[in-house]
Each structure stands twice: as structure tokens, then as C-alpha cells.
Amino acid sequence: NTAIGSEALNDNTTGHSNVAVGYGSLDANTTATNNVAVGVDTLGAATTAVRNTAVGAYALDNATTGGYNQAFGYHALGNLTTAVNNVAVGYNSLAANTTGAENTAVGNYSLSNNSTAHSNTAVGYAACQGNTTGTENVGIGHAALYVSTTGSYNTAVGKSALIAAPTANYNTVLGYGAA
């Protein structure tokens, strides 16, 4: 293990192959292995989580047992607790996600309200931002699927594509503002 910073890897007992850089990073870790935490409170609640990477203040800071998650950016995947196989890149991307698995969010605020939904892909500023429980959506472009909350199986490509369909299912749209 490598720990740099006050309270980094503070509670570690048998966890190994971890890197913690920054105040409180991996501080609750007991037996977790193969994690990388860089920034204030990154992976701060992780006790037995494995193979996570968190870079940016408060990234993955509530993850307890979740594994195989990658978070880059301030508060990226910040509320995740037990979910697995998520990728979040950007300020507040996938920030509200707790147990949703296999989501990919690239861009500030992308999928930021997603809580338990799985298998979503959002690329672009605020893409799929409103999604909470909708599954298997793809939003590519600035604010694509922006207000979709519970809709599933949608594909929206283009700036503001399918922006006003909060519960719509099984749609495919292409182009600026396409509805």
C-alpha cells in the first residue's frame, strides 16, 4: 500500500495493493484491495471495495463495497455505495448513482441524477442528466435525453436530442433538437 496525506488508508487492516493520495482518501478501508484514490475523501467510505479508481475530490467517496468503478472528476460517482462496473468522467457525472451498474457517463453533469438505473451511456455536457431509473439509454450530445427520468431503451444523438420526453421508451432520434 501507498498512502500520502493525513488519514489516508487510516483504518487499513489487511487490504493490499492500494494507492491513496490526499486527505481522507481510502480512510475507512479495512480489507479492500487494488484501489487507486487521488484527491480529498476519494473512496473515503470504501471498506471492502475492490479494483476502483477515483481521481478528483469526493470521487467515489461513499462507495463501501462497490467494485470495478472508474471515476474521474469532482464528485464523480460520489454517492455510489455498492454498484459495480461504472465509468464516470466529468464534474458530478453519475453523482447520484447508488446501486446502478454498468453505466458510462462522459461529460460534466452527464447521468448526474441516475440513482439505480443500469446500462446507460451518456456522452456530452448534461447528457441524460435527468435520468433516475431509466435503463439502457444512449444519449450523445449536449443535453441529449436531458429530461428523460424513467424512460428506457432510447437512443438520442445530437444537441438537445429527445430533450422533452421524460418517460418515453423505445425511441431513436438523430439530429439537433430531434424529437
Side-chain angles (χ1 to χ4, degrees), residues 103-104 111 114 117-122 128 131-140 145 148-156 162 168-171:
N103 294 294
T104 301
L111 277 168
N114 192 83
H118 64 86
S119 305
N120 291 294
T121 301
C128 301
N131 189 69
T132 55
T133 59
T135 62
E136 300 188 34
N137 292 298
V138 176
I140 300 174
L145 278 168
S148 179
T149 55
T150 59
S152 295
Y153 312 105
N154 295 299
T155 300
L162 206 59
N169 296 309
Y170 301 100
N171 292 285

Side-chain angles (χ1 to χ4, degrees), residues 69 83-87 97 99-104 117-121:
N69 295 292
V84 296
N85 299 317
N86 290 288
V87 176
N97 193 66
T99 59
E102 300 168 355
N103 294 294
T104 301
H118 64 86
S119 305
N120 291 294
T121 301

Side-chain angles (χ1 to χ4, degrees), residues 2 45 47 95 129 137:
T2 301
T47 54
Q129 182 177 5
N137 292 298

Side-chain angles (χ1 to χ4, degrees), residues 49-124:
V50 297
R51 294 176 180 84
N52 293 290
T53 303
V55 178
Y58 309 105
L60 276 167
D61 64 325
N62 286 311
T64 54
T65 60
Y68 307 94
N69 295 292
Q70 315 304 313
F72 301 90
Y74 181 92
H75 204 248
L77 280 167
N79 287 317
L80 181 141
T81 54
T82 59
V84 296
N85 299 317
N86 290 288
V87 176
V89 179
Y91 178 87
N92 268 345
S93 58
L94 274 166
N97 193 66
T98 55
T99 59
E102 300 168 355
N103 294 294
T104 301
V106 178
N108 290 355
Y109 299 105
S110 56
L111 277 168
S112 62
N113 291 312
N114 192 83
S115 56
T116 59
H118 64 86
S119 305
N120 291 294
T121 301
V123 179

